[in-house]
Amino acid sequence: MPIPLSDSQPWWQTAVVYQIYPRSFQDSGHDGVGDLPGLTRRLDHLAWLGVDTLWISPFYPSPMEDFGYDITDYCGVDPLFGTLDDFDALVARAHILGLRIILDFVPNHTSWQHPWFQASRSSRNHPQRDWYLWQEPGPSGGPPNNWRSVTGRSAWSLDAESDQYYLHSFLPQQPDLNWRNPAVRAELFGAMRFWLGRGVDGLRVDMVDFLLKDELLRNEPNAGYAFTEARFHLNRPETLDLLEDLRDVTDEFPDRVLIGEIVPHLPVQQVLPYYGAAGERLHLPFNFALLDASWTAQSLRQIIGEYDGALPPNAWPNYTLGNHDQPRLASRFGPAGARLAAMLLLTLRGTPFLYYGDELGLPDTPISSEQMQDPWEQVQPGAGRDPERAPMPWNSSPGGGFSAAPPWLPLANHHGELSVEVQTQQPTSLLNLYRELLRVRRTHPALLRGELQMLDDAPGDVLAYIRAADTTALIALNFSAELQQVRLPPGVWHSVLSTTVEDLPHPGQMLTLRPFEGRVLRHWA
């Protein structure tokens, strides 16, 4: 259960958020696809693990041409995942267990099968025509400007019936909404209220920096622009004002959190405005900085120091190392690196975001061309995201306890060895390391709310930092294959947890780190 917080500390500042991709978590309907009743069945495991907040990827009605990020009804549940009653039961059970629920909110675009878009494209004169972004062909008869979609192709598709182009910043099946239209705003604000009113504890807003486009639809000066550099297609200053409106809606419901996804690789100084000068916009603009980092102490020290040092007092940090669009931790860093990643993520200052299955060390799952499901693979060969979306293995049975039917994607190789059932019984498993890290985090105020100070005299291959609040903790992570000696600050230090060993002798004033070992120590006055 989450520990009590002071009145001045919002719950989301000490939360650990666990992302669930519902198609892949637990199937209860024997169709090979995970669903909401299946997720409800597994909530006890998540409470046992020690996470306290679940972020659930989209389960709304959808033709699944981008697996739920193409929505046809913002206020429903796709029958593939269950019913609204199933969702209500999920929220009720989660709250009994002390777990909070955050939903994905996808306001930039709908499915092209959404009734709004069907009406919009039916006639140039339809009242909902302006709900989306339509434009005459350019002077040469082609797209209106040089904006490109995330796929790398033009962001415009021609509608043959009306001889106009519509904008889609993602797939052509995902037309962009016109957020300058008050009717669109009213509908989307209503959808936010619908879910917040059902007891949802927060929303994670998908791609907030795309919401408003340049009114004149001007070309980007550089035709090969990176999204971090775009000034007309996205990153509009007026988007920040819109975020204040989104926040106002969220604040109608007490004790809720508003999280926003912004394009990766954005420099920290461009992230800061998304918080607002007084914290009046997003509570947490997603920080993807660690996804860009080289897996070395030097690179991590620089990135973490720059980010943490740039945030003003009203801005709370957050970190993630994986999600449904990124290769798995175990495949990127290897088994030892995955253990270091766990300790890093759960001891930095700020709110950590975990991705389901990373606590098991799930690797990217090989997917043959016949098994591939992700439509992005067809648009961008090699960019398919299926390998990181394989089903959760709960036990060593052929179906992994995920489903009695053939799963929608194959389970990871050797899934039985990685399963929850097997790792629960292994004291030194990665799963039990995560559980112990979460326990240590909950019981040490320094790790929940303490400031962060780098230990500058640590060896070059060691990332070491101090967290201090009511208690003081020191975290030291060895990113090399060699023994490393770390001189500890004055005082008496007690080893609390290691990523590699159970035997934790008193370190004295010199801490010896084994190859690729991470250690948490507590200071005793």
Side-chain angles (χ1 to χ4, degrees):
M1 297 288 288
I3 68 169
L5 303 179
S6 67
D7 293 338
S8 62
Q9 182 127 29
W11 62 267
W12 46 268
Q13 290 191 355
T14 57
V16 175
V17 184
Y18 183 98
Q19 183 191 358
I20 290 171
Y21 196 68
R23 295 181 69 93
S24 296
F25 204 64
Q26 178 66 59
D27 171 29
S28 72
H30 309 299
D31 59 0
V33 178
D35 48 45
L36 296 182
L39 171 53
T40 303
R41 172 185 158 194
R42 296 297 186 182
L43 291 178
D44 288 294
H45 164 75
L46 297 174
W48 170 87
L49 179 61
V51 299
D52 45 32
T53 304
L54 311 182
W55 155 28
I56 308 174
S57 293
F59 51 76
Y60 312 107
S62 165
M64 300 296 164
E65 292 174 293
D66 191 20
F67 289 121
Y69 285 90
D70 52 321
I71 294 169
T72 55
D73 179 2
Y74 280 98
C75 299
V77 175
D78 194 286
L80 185 69
F81 298 114
T83 66
L84 273 173
D85 285 343
D86 292 329
F87 175 77
D88 291 339
L90 166 65
V91 173
R93 178 61 182 161
H95 286 171
I96 287 172
L97 293 172
L99 300 169
R100 298 180 188 265
I101 301 291
I102 294 171
L103 297 190
D104 247 318
F105 180 56
V106 189
N108 177 71
H109 49 266
T110 68
S111 166
W112 62 356
Q113 295 185 35
H114 196 295
W116 299 346
F117 188 70
Q118 293 295 308
S120 180
R121 77 185 307 180
S122 67
S123 166
R124 287 193 178 202
N125 299 318
H126 194 281
Q128 287 181 292
R129 184 70 170 184
D130 192 44
W131 284 37
Y132 295 83
L133 291 157
W134 294 91
Q135 190 70 6
E136 298 289 344
S140 63
N145 63 24
N146 68 353
W147 296 358
R148 62 180 182 85
S149 73
V150 173
T151 68
R153 303 177 183 181
S154 174
W156 298 92
S157 284
L158 181 65
D159 176 61
E161 293 293 322
S162 64
D163 196 33
Q164 281 190 326
Y165 283 84
Y166 68 88
L167 181 70
H168 54 86
S169 298
F170 296 86
L171 295 174
Q173 298 92 326
Q174 296 168 296
D176 283 25
L177 286 160
N178 177 14
W179 269 88
R180 297 185 186 276
N181 186 317
V184 170
R185 294 191 181 208
E187 287 287 345
L188 272 297
F189 291 161
M192 293 174 66
R193 294 183 177 102
F194 177 85
W195 294 108
L196 293 168
R198 294 188 92 88
V200 166
D201 298 287
L203 298 171
R204 175 264 189 192
V205 187
D206 188 68
M207 303 310 293
V208 295
D209 36 3
F210 278 86
L211 292 182
L212 286 175
K213 285 77 176 176
D214 177 54
E215 285 190 281
L216 301 178
L217 303 180
R218 286 171 284 187
N219 279 319
E220 294 292 346
N222 175 12
Y225 65 96
F227 287 120
T228 53
E229 302 168 346
R231 293 296 174 265
F232 299 122
H233 183 186
L234 64 154
N235 302 319
R236 298 297 303 159
E238 54 266 40
T239 300
L240 301 175
D241 297 329
L242 174 58
L243 293 182
E244 294 179 23
D245 295 336
L246 294 173
R247 176 65 176 273
D248 287 343
V249 174
T250 305
D251 287 347
E252 292 173 15
F253 300 83
D255 211 22
R256 305 304 208 271
V257 65
L258 187 66
I259 303 166
E261 180 190 23
I262 53 181
V263 292
H265 321 302
L266 205 64
V268 64
Q269 292 302 327
Q270 289 180 244
V271 173
L272 297 181
Y274 286 88
Y275 284 101
E280 72 276 15
R281 293 168 185 158
L282 298 173
H283 292 106
L284 296 174
F286 251 126
N287 168 30
F288 294 115
L290 293 185
L291 295 177
D292 296 332
S294 299
W295 200 237
T296 65
Q298 181 179 4
S299 175
L300 293 167
R301 188 182 302 114
Q302 179 179 347
I303 289 172
I304 293 165
E306 178 183 343
Y307 173 70
D308 194 76
L311 296 180
N314 64 281
W316 186 251
N318 66 94
Y319 291 93
T320 186
L321 277 166
N323 59 43
H324 61 295
D325 292 328
Q326 300 293 329
R328 287 278 186 182
L329 290 185
S331 292
R332 283 152 56 200
F333 307 140
R339 299 176 78 89
L340 284 177
M343 184 168 283
L344 174 70
L345 196 57
L346 292 172
T347 59
L348 287 171
R349 186 176 82 96
T351 303
F353 287 77
L354 311 179
Y355 183 50
Y356 87 95
D358 279 347
E359 76 275 22
L360 302 178
L362 289 187
D364 290 335
T365 300
I367 306 291
S368 69
S369 57
E370 294 78 17
Q371 297 167 320
M372 191 68 68
Q373 300 286 331
D374 188 0
W376 284 88
E377 180 66 21
Q378 301 173 14
V379 179
Q380 290 179 293
R385 300 159 294 180
D386 291 332
E388 59 261 29
R389 298 176 176 182
M392 184 82 165
W394 297 97
N395 60 42
S396 55
S397 68
F402 166 72
S403 178
W408 77 286
L409 283 174
L411 279 84
N413 293 337
H414 310 292
H415 72 267
E417 302 169 17
L418 298 169
S419 68
V420 172
E421 180 181 70
V422 169
Q423 290 201 43
T424 299
Q425 304 306 315
Q426 299 171 338
T428 60
S429 69
L430 181 60
L431 175 62
N432 276 311
L433 174 62
Y434 266 90
R435 189 178 189 227
E436 185 63 9
L437 277 165
L438 287 161
R439 185 196 67 78
V440 169
R441 176 185 168 86
R442 284 195 306 275
T443 54
H444 287 269
L447 297 178
L448 288 174
R449 54 181 67 92
E451 296 299 314
L452 183 145
Q453 179 184 352
M454 289 291 176
L455 200 64
D456 293 329
D457 60 352
D461 288 325
V462 173
L463 176 66
Y465 46 93
I466 291 174
R467 301 286 313 282
D470 299 332
T471 59
T472 301
L474 186 149
I475 299 88
L477 306 166
N478 180 8
F479 286 83
S480 78
E482 307 294 333
L483 288 174
Q484 297 287 343
Q485 296 283 331
V486 180
R487 181 171 296 280
L488 299 175
V492 179
W493 293 91
H494 172 69
S495 290
V496 175
L497 182 61
S498 166
T499 60
T500 62
V501 295
E502 293 182 88
D503 179 27
L504 296 173
H506 177 67
Q509 290 308 118
M510 292 296 294
L511 170 66
T512 299
L513 290 173
R514 294 165 177 82
F516 303 110
E517 181 188 6
R519 188 82 66 94
V520 178
L521 302 98
R522 181 175 179 178
H523 180 264
W524 295 94

